[in-house]
Structure formats: C-alpha cells, structure tokens
Amino acid sequence: MTVDDANTGGGAQPEPPTYPTPHHEVDHTAEPTHDPLAIRLEQLILGADRRYTPFQAARTAGVSMELASRFWRAMGFADIGQAKALTEADVLALRRLAGLVEAGLLSEPMAVQVARSTGQTTARLAEWQIDSFLEGLTEPPEPGMTRTEVTYPLVELLLPELEEFLIYVWRRQLAAATGRVVQAADDEEMVDRRLAVGFADLVGFTRLTRRLEEEELGELVEAFETTCADLVAAHGGRLIKTLGDEVLYCADDPGTAAEIALRLIETLGHDETMPALRVGIAFGTVTTRMGDVFGTTVNLASRLTSIAPKDAVLVDGALAEELTRTGEAPASETEAAEEAARAEKEGRRAATYRFALQPMWQRPVRGLGVVEPWLLSRRPT
C-alpha cells in the first residue's frame, strides 16, 4: 500500500495539482538526479532515502500542496513534478513550519520569509563549500580514482563536524542579534532603527574584469571580501552583504562606522594588488528585513560612495553632526587649534579627537536632492 492509499483508504487517487514556478524564482540545479553515485552522496548527506512525491510529502505532513509549494520555493528548491525524491526530513520540515503557523507563533507570510532567508543563506554557504572547499580537497590522489570515490569518504568524515560548527555559529549570531533587539528603545525601533550604513567600493573594477584572467579576478574579489569582513567584524560592525566589488556594512555607533571606513582605506591602500577604494557613510533611520537594510539612509550612503574621491571617505551631515556631538570630531578645526594652543600655554591637556571633518561643496544627488558631504579623515595623534 502506498502512502496515498494509507491516508485515503485506498482506491484511485485524484491527480495532484501542479504549481508552475517562474524560472528565476528557484534554483533548478536542485532537481533530483538519477546518477547512482550522486544518489549515494545525497543519501549520505540527507541521512534518509527518497520516499515521497511532493504530493505525498505534503499530505503526510498535514499541509496543503499549495502551502508546501510556497515553502519549498521559498527555500530555493526546484519544482520536481511528482518525482519520488523527498524524505522524512522534508515531511518533518513542513510539519515544523506549518506547526509554527498553527500555534500562532508565526504568520504564514513570516513563515515563508523564514524559509526564504534560511534557504538563501545556506544555499550560498553550500555553494561556497563545494566550489572552494570540497573541490580542492577531492582532487584524486591516485591515477584512476574518480572524484566521487574520494568525495564520499571525505563528506562522511566532514559532515558531522561542519554541521556542529554551523549550529554553533548560528547560535552565536542569533544571540548577538537578539541582544541588539532587546536593547532597542521601543517596538518601532526593533524594525526601523537608527544606524550608520557604509558602502565600500573598488574603483575601476569593471576595467579590471576585462584585463584580469578569471582566476586572478576571483582571487582579488576573495581577498577584498575577506579583508573587509575581518575589519568590519573586528571593529564592531556588521557585514550586511558583499557584491563582488562592493561591500555594505552597518554599525549602531557612528564612530564605529567611521573607524571601520578609515581602516578599510588604510589597510587596502597598503595592498599593491588592490585598486583604489572609496567609502560613503550615512546615519539615520534604516529598515531591516531578512538580514538586509533598506531606506533613504542606505541610498544616501550608496550615492556618497559614488561621488567620493579615490581612497577617501565621504559622510553625510547627520553622521558628521553625531561625531561632533559625541566629541569624536571637533565642530571647527580652527577652534580646536585655538583651544589646543591655549591649553599648551596654560599647561593643561587639550581635548583629543579621533576624526577630522572637512565640509565639501553641496551638490545634487540623484533621487535625494542637494546634500552637503563631509570628507572624513583621521586626526594625527
């Protein structure tokens, strides 16, 4: 007896509905394979055999096929018709998501967002691990050995370790994100928060793509992203995303965002293999969704980056004002110099500042009107 028969008491079953998905919305590389060796690897990784069609899996999980399709597509899985390619783990995942909705812990749209954000994040991680990690480790050590013969035992050894490490990092990140949320001043600030948002952009990257070999270009991008990620994390910021030649980060504190920007300029400026860098930072209300940031503040930071000089940092008026308010930059360089002279004459210690701000010419910025950027630099110690 099939699973369908067990659930309906036997007899002919109606044709399960199909839900076509636009090609751009799913990862069609995830379609089930019929290669025996690939199936062995799939069984090893998933820890279960193929048992259900999508229709059977949805019915066994107790959810509608329409909702199951929404969840699967949100996670980035291809439509597979009614091939028997799903496992007990797929059924359990459907039950868990649907259970959160039924219990009122998540709305249905929020559950779909959870599926989508998890799918997008882990898809990128999995692609990186295969392309950059496993590919290098699975070169056949002896002539005549296939890559699969090497891959299977390697995955068998690595899988539990990588899984535990993934859970560890996720819990750490979840703890940090939860801490930021509970410290918000009110419920509205949990979604719309005041943040400093920075863009770092490599100058002339398009020309480089035409001049460098693919491998050289890949190494440059990886070095750029790695350096940026390390500096942002080390100095208390959060890396939002990387776009090849561009990095988006944010920080709760404007001084932190400014320090990161100058560190990026200083560090990459000493690397002869790197093109020039320019950074733009804006401070204001930001909407956060699925780990990304949106709003006028983000757009302004992007525009400031596009007009910044090479190896320089431009900030908006709000961030400049915040730096002077907190005493991290002087309101006037002239007044700061006069105060330092008086302090030296009177034998007392003058105020010290981390940053210097130089007003630039006001200029129109597409979509945002006229802005007055400020050139940010580090004050000599």
Side-chain angles (χ1 to χ4, degrees), residues 312-359:
V313 181
L314 285 187
V315 305
D316 73 332
L319 191 130
E321 181 179 346
E322 194 68 13
L323 291 179
T324 58
R325 185 188 69 81
T326 56
E328 295 184 278
S332 165
E333 286 294 330
T334 301
E335 291 178 4
E338 291 173 352
E339 169 59 23
R342 283 195 299 270
E344 183 178 3
K345 185 176 180 180
E346 296 170 4
R348 58 182 173 84
R349 184 167 185 163
T352 57
Y353 304 96
R354 276 205 291 170
F355 309 114
L357 292 164
Q358 177 186 341

Short mmCIF file of all heavy atoms in Angstrom, two decimals, residues 312-359:
data_model
loop_
_atom_site.label_atom_id
_atom_site.label_comp_id
_atom_site.label_asym_id
_atom_site.label_seq_id
_atom_site.Cartn_x
_atom_site.Cartn_y
_atom_site.Cartn_z
N ALA A 312 39.24 57.69 -0.19
CA ALA A 312 38.69 58.69 0.72
C ALA A 312 37.32 58.25 1.21
O ALA A 312 36.68 57.37 0.63
CB ALA A 312 38.60 60.05 0.03
N VAL A 313 36.88 58.90 2.30
CA VAL A 313 35.60 58.58 2.92
C VAL A 313 34.74 59.84 2.94
O VAL A 313 35.17 60.89 3.43
CB VAL A 313 35.77 58.07 4.36
CG1 VAL A 313 34.42 57.73 4.98
CG2 VAL A 313 36.71 56.87 4.41
N LEU A 314 33.53 59.76 2.40
CA LEU A 314 32.55 60.84 2.49
C LEU A 314 31.43 60.43 3.43
O LEU A 314 30.97 59.28 3.38
CB LEU A 314 31.96 61.17 1.12
CG LEU A 314 32.82 61.95 0.12
CD1 LEU A 314 31.99 62.31 -1.10
CD2 LEU A 314 33.42 63.20 0.74
N VAL A 315 30.99 61.35 4.30
CA VAL A 315 29.88 61.06 5.21
C VAL A 315 28.82 62.14 5.03
O VAL A 315 29.10 63.24 4.53
CB VAL A 315 30.36 61.01 6.68
CG1 VAL A 315 31.49 60.00 6.83
CG2 VAL A 315 30.80 62.38 7.18
N ASP A 316 27.60 61.82 5.46
CA ASP A 316 26.54 62.81 5.35
C ASP A 316 26.52 63.73 6.57
O ASP A 316 27.25 63.52 7.55
CB ASP A 316 25.19 62.11 5.17
CG ASP A 316 24.68 61.45 6.43
OD1 ASP A 316 25.52 61.04 7.27
OD2 ASP A 316 23.46 61.32 6.60
N GLY A 317 25.70 64.76 6.52
CA GLY A 317 25.64 65.73 7.59
C GLY A 317 25.21 65.14 8.91
O GLY A 317 25.69 65.55 9.98
N ALA A 318 24.29 64.17 8.88
CA ALA A 318 23.81 63.56 10.12
C ALA A 318 24.93 62.83 10.85
O ALA A 318 25.04 62.91 12.09
CB ALA A 318 22.65 62.61 9.82
N LEU A 319 25.77 62.11 10.11
CA LEU A 319 26.87 61.40 10.75
C LEU A 319 27.93 62.39 11.25
O LEU A 319 28.48 62.21 12.35
CB LEU A 319 27.49 60.39 9.80
CG LEU A 319 28.45 59.42 10.49
CD1 LEU A 319 28.14 57.98 10.14
CD2 LEU A 319 29.90 59.73 10.15
N ALA A 320 28.20 63.43 10.47
CA ALA A 320 29.15 64.45 10.91
C ALA A 320 28.67 65.11 12.20
O ALA A 320 29.45 65.33 13.14
CB ALA A 320 29.34 65.49 9.81
N GLU A 321 27.39 65.42 12.26
CA GLU A 321 26.82 66.04 13.45
C GLU A 321 26.94 65.12 14.66
O GLU A 321 27.24 65.57 15.77
CB GLU A 321 25.35 66.39 13.20
CG GLU A 321 24.67 67.08 14.36
CD GLU A 321 23.23 67.42 14.06
OE1 GLU A 321 22.82 67.38 12.88
OE2 GLU A 321 22.49 67.74 15.01
N GLU A 322 26.71 63.83 14.45
CA GLU A 322 26.78 62.88 15.55
C GLU A 322 28.22 62.73 16.05
O GLU A 322 28.45 62.60 17.26
CB GLU A 322 26.22 61.52 15.10
CG GLU A 322 25.93 60.55 16.21
CD GLU A 322 24.77 60.98 17.10
OE1 GLU A 322 24.03 61.91 16.72
OE2 GLU A 322 24.61 60.39 18.18
N LEU A 323 29.18 62.76 15.16
CA LEU A 323 30.58 62.65 15.57
C LEU A 323 31.01 63.87 16.40
O LEU A 323 31.77 63.74 17.36
CB LEU A 323 31.50 62.50 14.35
CG LEU A 323 31.40 61.17 13.59
CD1 LEU A 323 32.35 61.19 12.39
CD2 LEU A 323 31.71 59.98 14.48
N THR A 324 30.53 65.05 16.04
CA THR A 324 30.87 66.24 16.82
C THR A 324 30.12 66.24 18.15
O THR A 324 30.66 66.66 19.17
CB THR A 324 30.55 67.52 16.03
OG1 THR A 324 29.16 67.53 15.68
CG2 THR A 324 31.38 67.58 14.76
N ARG A 325 28.88 65.77 18.14
CA ARG A 325 28.09 65.73 19.38
C ARG A 325 28.73 64.83 20.43
O ARG A 325 28.72 65.13 21.62
CB ARG A 325 26.66 65.26 19.08
CG ARG A 325 25.73 65.30 20.29
CD ARG A 325 24.40 64.65 19.97
NE ARG A 325 24.53 63.22 19.81
CZ ARG A 325 24.59 62.34 20.81
NH1 ARG A 325 24.58 62.77 22.07
NH2 ARG A 325 24.70 61.06 20.57
N THR A 326 29.30 63.71 19.97
CA THR A 326 29.91 62.76 20.90
C THR A 326 31.37 63.07 21.21
O THR A 326 32.03 62.33 21.93
CB THR A 326 29.82 61.33 20.33
OG1 THR A 326 30.44 61.29 19.03
CG2 THR A 326 28.37 60.88 20.21
N GLY A 327 31.88 64.17 20.64
CA GLY A 327 33.24 64.57 20.94
C GLY A 327 34.30 63.77 20.21
O GLY A 327 35.48 63.80 20.59
N GLU A 328 33.92 63.09 19.13
CA GLU A 328 34.90 62.31 18.38
C GLU A 328 35.50 63.11 17.22
O GLU A 328 36.47 62.67 16.61
CB GLU A 328 34.26 61.02 17.87
CG GLU A 328 33.83 60.09 19.00
CD GLU A 328 33.29 58.79 18.47
OE1 GLU A 328 32.12 58.74 18.10
OE2 GLU A 328 34.06 57.81 18.43
N ALA A 329 34.90 64.25 16.93
CA ALA A 329 35.44 65.16 15.91
C ALA A 329 35.13 66.58 16.35
O ALA A 329 34.06 66.84 16.93
CB ALA A 329 34.82 64.87 14.54
N PRO A 330 36.01 67.54 16.10
CA PRO A 330 35.74 68.93 16.51
C PRO A 330 34.71 69.57 15.58
O PRO A 330 34.64 69.26 14.39
CB PRO A 330 37.10 69.60 16.37
CG PRO A 330 37.81 68.81 15.30
CD PRO A 330 37.34 67.39 15.47
N ALA A 331 33.92 70.45 16.15
CA ALA A 331 32.95 71.17 15.33
C ALA A 331 33.65 72.13 14.38
O ALA A 331 33.15 72.40 13.29
CB ALA A 331 31.97 71.93 16.23
N SER A 332 34.83 72.62 14.79
CA SER A 332 35.60 73.54 13.95
C SER A 332 37.08 73.27 14.15
O SER A 332 37.56 73.24 15.29
CB SER A 332 35.27 74.99 14.32
OG SER A 332 36.22 75.89 13.78
N GLU A 333 37.77 73.04 13.06
CA GLU A 333 39.21 72.80 13.16
C GLU A 333 39.94 74.04 13.68
O GLU A 333 40.90 73.95 14.43
CB GLU A 333 39.77 72.40 11.79
CG GLU A 333 39.41 70.98 11.37
CD GLU A 333 40.05 69.92 12.25
OE1 GLU A 333 41.15 70.16 12.79
OE2 GLU A 333 39.44 68.85 12.41
N THR A 334 39.45 75.21 13.27
CA THR A 334 40.09 76.46 13.74
C THR A 334 39.95 76.60 15.25
O THR A 334 40.92 76.89 15.96
CB THR A 334 39.45 77.67 13.03
OG1 THR A 334 39.62 77.54 11.63
CG2 THR A 334 40.10 78.96 13.51
N GLU A 335 38.74 76.36 15.75
CA GLU A 335 38.51 76.46 17.20
C GLU A 335 39.30 75.39 17.95
O GLU A 335 39.81 75.64 19.05
CB GLU A 335 37.02 76.33 17.49
CG GLU A 335 36.19 77.52 17.01
CD GLU A 335 34.71 77.33 17.28
OE1 GLU A 335 34.35 76.31 17.92
OE2 GLU A 335 33.92 78.18 16.86
N ALA A 336 39.40 74.21 17.36
CA ALA A 336 40.15 73.14 18.01
C ALA A 336 41.63 73.50 18.11
O ALA A 336 42.28 73.25 19.13
CB ALA A 336 39.98 71.83 17.22
N ALA A 337 42.18 74.12 17.04
CA ALA A 337 43.59 74.53 17.06
C ALA A 337 43.81 75.64 18.08
O ALA A 337 44.82 75.64 18.81
CB ALA A 337 44.00 74.99 15.67
N GLU A 338 42.87 76.59 18.16
CA GLU A 338 43.00 77.68 19.14
C GLU A 338 42.93 77.13 20.57
O GLU A 338 43.68 77.56 21.45
CB GLU A 338 41.90 78.71 18.90
CG GLU A 338 42.07 79.49 17.60
CD GLU A 338 40.89 80.40 17.31
OE1 GLU A 338 39.88 80.30 18.06
OE2 GLU A 338 40.96 81.20 16.36
N GLU A 339 42.03 76.20 20.79
CA GLU A 339 41.90 75.60 22.12
C GLU A 339 43.15 74.82 22.49
O GLU A 339 43.61 74.86 23.64
CB GLU A 339 40.68 74.68 22.15
CG GLU A 339 40.56 73.78 23.37
CD GLU A 339 40.51 74.55 24.68
OE1 GLU A 339 40.13 75.74 24.68
OE2 GLU A 339 40.87 73.94 25.72
N ALA A 340 43.75 74.12 21.53
CA ALA A 340 44.97 73.37 21.79
C ALA A 340 46.11 74.31 22.16
O ALA A 340 46.92 74.02 23.06
CB ALA A 340 45.34 72.53 20.57
N ALA A 341 46.18 75.46 21.49
CA ALA A 341 47.23 76.45 21.79
C ALA A 341 47.05 77.02 23.19
O ALA A 341 48.02 77.18 23.95
CB ALA A 341 47.20 77.56 20.75
N ARG A 342 45.81 77.32 23.55
CA ARG A 342 45.55 77.85 24.90
C ARG A 342 45.88 76.81 25.96
O ARG A 342 46.47 77.13 27.00
CB ARG A 342 44.07 78.25 25.01
CG ARG A 342 43.73 79.56 24.34
CD ARG A 342 42.38 80.09 24.81
NE ARG A 342 41.30 79.15 24.49
CZ ARG A 342 40.60 79.18 23.36
NH1 ARG A 342 40.88 80.09 22.44
NH2 ARG A 342 39.63 78.32 23.17
N ALA A 343 45.53 75.57 25.69
CA ALA A 343 45.80 74.51 26.66
C ALA A 343 47.29 74.33 26.87
O ALA A 343 47.77 74.16 28.00
CB ALA A 343 45.17 73.20 26.20
N GLU A 344 48.05 74.38 25.77
CA GLU A 344 49.50 74.22 25.88
C GLU A 344 50.11 75.40 26.67
O GLU A 344 51.00 75.21 27.52
CB GLU A 344 50.12 74.16 24.49
CG GLU A 344 51.62 73.92 24.51
CD GLU A 344 52.20 73.82 23.12
OE1 GLU A 344 51.45 73.99 22.13
OE2 GLU A 344 53.42 73.57 23.01
N LYS A 345 49.60 76.59 26.41
CA LYS A 345 50.10 77.77 27.10
C LYS A 345 49.79 77.73 28.59
O LYS A 345 50.59 78.16 29.43
CB LYS A 345 49.48 79.02 26.48
CG LYS A 345 50.01 80.33 27.02
CD LYS A 345 49.41 81.51 26.28
CE LYS A 345 49.95 82.83 26.82
NZ LYS A 345 49.37 84.00 26.09
N GLU A 346 48.63 77.18 28.94
CA GLU A 346 48.20 77.12 30.33
C GLU A 346 48.68 75.85 31.04
O GLU A 346 48.40 75.64 32.22
CB GLU A 346 46.68 77.20 30.40
CG GLU A 346 46.13 78.53 29.89
CD GLU A 346 44.61 78.50 29.73
OE1 GLU A 346 44.01 77.47 30.11
OE2 GLU A 346 44.05 79.49 29.22
N GLY A 347 49.38 75.00 30.32
CA GLY A 347 49.92 73.79 30.91
C GLY A 347 48.89 72.73 31.22
O GLY A 347 49.06 71.92 32.13
N ARG A 348 47.82 72.73 30.49
CA ARG A 348 46.81 71.69 30.69
C ARG A 348 46.63 70.87 29.41
O ARG A 348 47.12 71.25 28.36
CB ARG A 348 45.48 72.30 31.11
CG ARG A 348 44.91 73.29 30.12
CD ARG A 348 43.60 73.90 30.62
NE ARG A 348 43.14 74.96 29.74
CZ ARG A 348 42.44 74.76 28.64
NH1 ARG A 348 42.12 73.52 28.26
NH2 ARG A 348 42.05 75.79 27.91
N ARG A 349 45.93 69.77 29.56
CA ARG A 349 45.75 68.86 28.43
C ARG A 349 44.55 69.30 27.59
O ARG A 349 43.46 69.52 28.13
CB ARG A 349 45.53 67.44 28.95
CG ARG A 349 45.44 66.41 27.84
CD ARG A 349 45.55 65.02 28.41
NE ARG A 349 45.58 64.03 27.36
CZ ARG A 349 45.99 62.80 27.53
NH1 ARG A 349 46.44 62.41 28.71
NH2 ARG A 349 45.97 61.94 26.54
N ALA A 350 44.75 69.42 26.29
CA ALA A 350 43.67 69.81 25.38
C ALA A 350 42.81 68.60 25.04
O ALA A 350 43.22 67.45 25.20
CB ALA A 350 44.25 70.40 24.10
N ALA A 351 41.60 68.88 24.58
CA ALA A 351 40.71 67.80 24.14
C ALA A 351 41.31 67.08 22.95
O ALA A 351 41.96 67.68 22.09
CB ALA A 351 39.35 68.38 23.77
N THR A 352 41.10 65.79 22.91
CA THR A 352 41.61 64.98 21.79
C THR A 352 40.43 64.45 20.98
O THR A 352 39.36 64.16 21.52
CB THR A 352 42.45 63.80 22.29
OG1 THR A 352 41.67 62.99 23.18
CG2 THR A 352 43.69 64.30 23.03
N TYR A 353 40.65 64.34 19.69
CA TYR A 353 39.61 63.87 18.78
C TYR A 353 40.18 62.75 17.90
O TYR A 353 41.34 62.78 17.51
CB TYR A 353 39.12 65.01 17.89
CG TYR A 353 38.62 66.22 18.65
CD1 TYR A 353 39.46 67.31 18.88
CD2 TYR A 353 37.32 66.27 19.11
CE1 TYR A 353 39.00 68.43 19.55
CE2 TYR A 353 36.84 67.38 19.80
CZ TYR A 353 37.69 68.46 20.02
OH TYR A 353 37.23 69.55 20.69
N ARG A 354 39.29 61.82 17.58
CA ARG A 354 39.71 60.72 16.70
C ARG A 354 39.67 61.13 15.24
O ARG A 354 40.51 60.71 14.44
CB ARG A 354 38.78 59.51 16.88
CG ARG A 354 39.14 58.62 18.02
CD ARG A 354 38.63 57.21 17.78
NE ARG A 354 37.17 57.09 17.84
CZ ARG A 354 36.49 56.01 17.48
NH1 ARG A 354 37.16 54.96 16.99
NH2 ARG A 354 35.18 55.97 17.58
N PHE A 355 38.67 61.94 14.87
CA PHE A 355 38.42 62.19 13.45
C PHE A 355 38.44 63.68 13.14
O PHE A 355 38.22 64.53 14.02
CB PHE A 355 37.05 61.63 13.04
CG PHE A 355 36.84 60.20 13.44
CD1 PHE A 355 35.88 59.85 14.38
CD2 PHE A 355 37.60 59.19 12.88
CE1 PHE A 355 35.68 58.54 14.75
CE2 PHE A 355 37.41 57.86 13.23
CZ PHE A 355 36.45 57.53 14.17
N ALA A 356 38.68 63.97 11.87
CA ALA A 356 38.58 65.33 11.34
C ALA A 356 37.52 65.34 10.24
O ALA A 356 37.38 64.37 9.49
CB ALA A 356 39.92 65.79 10.78
N LEU A 357 36.75 66.44 10.17
CA LEU A 357 35.69 66.58 9.18
C LEU A 357 35.90 67.86 8.37
O LEU A 357 36.10 68.93 8.95
CB LEU A 357 34.32 66.63 9.87
CG LEU A 357 33.87 65.34 10.54
CD1 LEU A 357 32.71 65.63 11.49
CD2 LEU A 357 33.46 64.31 9.50
N GLN A 358 35.88 67.70 7.08
CA GLN A 358 36.04 68.85 6.19
C GLN A 358 34.81 68.97 5.30
O GLN A 358 34.49 68.05 4.54
CB GLN A 358 37.28 68.69 5.32
CG GLN A 358 37.48 69.82 4.33
CD GLN A 358 38.65 69.56 3.39
OE1 GLN A 358 39.52 68.73 3.68
NE2 GLN A 358 38.66 70.25 2.26
N PRO A 359 34.06 70.09 5.39
CA PRO A 359 32.87 70.22 4.54
C PRO A 359 33.26 70.32 3.07
O PRO A 359 34.24 70.97 2.71
CB PRO A 359 32.23 71.52 5.04
CG PRO A 359 33.35 72.29 5.66
CD PRO A 359 34.28 71.27 6.23
#
